Amino acid sequence: MLRKTKDCLAILVVGGAGYIGSHMVKLLRRSGFGTVVLDDLSGGHRDAVRDVPLVVGSIADAGLLAELFARHRFAAVMHFASFIQVGESMSDPGKYYANNLAATLTLLGAMRDAGVMRFIFSSSAAVFGHPDRLPIREDLPKRPINPYGRSKWMVEQVLEDYDRAYGLKAICLRYFNAAGADPDGELGERHHPETHLIPLLLQAASGRREAVSVFGTDYDTPDGTCIRDYVHVADLCDAHLLGLRRLLDGGESARFNLGNGQGFSVKEVIDTVRHVTGRRTPVRYEARRPGDPPRLVADTTLAHGVLGWMPQRAKLETIVADAWAWERKYPWGRAASDGF
Ligand code: UFG
């Protein structure tokens, strides 16, 4: 049964049918928030939205947004509706600026018109580009090296101006490498095409992918492969909830880096996948992928201290095990024609 959003604090989750958004909707429901999802299903999945209203549409549609804000009294908006492929952003930057920047401005405009002045924004470690220092603190220079990262940094800057001028309060959460799946096994990662290391390795482990390419073995790292800070999707959602509560309590705008503060090389991830799954995961060693920084590791002191965020599923084995449980459910009880 649908809960009427007027009975409790209602949150609009845009991109709530996608990977991180769908996990967030589940946590919001569990935490007693009324939730409405707006998603154009360009990357999300209808069946990832359970027992909350799903409005199929775009954040670029000002008319639809006005209608939605008139119908519900939202306490806040959470924004997960971005395009996320770095490579695609290089070949088709217009697509990224149109959605990640321009459509976000349309959403912010609709929020202002409706007097909804709290915003949680999915940003990215990509705002830092090639950082000079590790671990990466929030105040390191922002030098994004691709349109994806630039679109995220532009929105962060817009949000600073909107706070100053209009009093719109925003929490920007810069994800490092989001991974893992719902510990209950109900939700998980389903990108098309999949480009992320862990799900690709798990597809190889389950036999639905022949091999995975390792992009570069000549980096200046101990084993020559890139180092990343993998963070569980459930822990990311916990940080969003803490950020939301901060804003609902009248807190100020802020930006946080979200990772576990520990880096793993591509080879270490491969070893972990082999260990957790007990399966073969064939790999091919290839040239570097353009634009990959050698190391990205978060300094999460601020998120711990200010938000009180304590990741519960920080171990790489746990992240991989939860993602593996999800991969083993493939094709998630549905037919391919269902758009998984
Ligand atoms: N990798 C491979 N083979 C693959 C896929 C990835 O070797 O088939 C390597 C990459 O080169 C990289 C590491 O595995 O070194 C992780 O790659 P992912 O594609 O899983 O993730 P990225 O670190 O490239 O990207 C993530 C987010 C982006 C975000 C970026 C911030 O997915 O949205 O972090 O830098 F922009």
Side-chain angles (χ1 to χ4, degrees), residues 124 126 148 177 195-197 200 213 215 226 228 289 292 296:
S124 169
Y148 167 73
N177 284 67
T195 60
H196 294 108
L197 181 64
L200 288 174
S213 303
F215 297 132
C226 286
R228 293 288 181 274
R289 188 172 68 175
D292 274 342
L296 289 174

Side-chain angles (χ1 to χ4, degrees), residues 83-86 123-129 145-146 148-149 152 175-179 189 191 194-201 209 211-216 219 225-230 264-267 269-270 284 286-296:
F83 295 137
I84 59 162
Q85 287 180 49
V86 171
S123 188
S124 169
V127 301
F128 294 104
I145 53 167
N146 49 59
Y148 167 73
K152 292 288 179 183
Y175 312 157
F176 279 61
N177 284 67
E189 200 164 0
H191 293 121
E194 188 52 78
T195 60
H196 294 108
L197 181 64
I198 291 178
L200 288 174
L201 287 169
R209 180 175 295 272
V212 176
S213 303
V214 173
F215 297 132
Y219 284 97
T225 63
C226 286
I227 291 176
R228 293 288 181 274
D229 184 347
Y230 295 89
F264 292 92
S265 71
V266 172
K267 282 187 178 165
V269 174
I270 293 168
R284 281 187 296 258
E286 292 189 13
R288 293 182 180 196
R289 188 172 68 175
D292 274 342
R295 299 168 192 252
L296 289 174

Side-chain angles (χ1 to χ4, degrees), residues 254-275:
R255 284 140 228 98
F256 299 100
N257 291 351
L258 299 181
N260 282 307
Q262 210 190 338
F264 292 92
S265 71
V266 172
K267 282 187 178 165
E268 286 172 326
V269 174
I270 293 168
D271 288 344
T272 306
V273 166
R274 288 178 178 161
H275 173 71

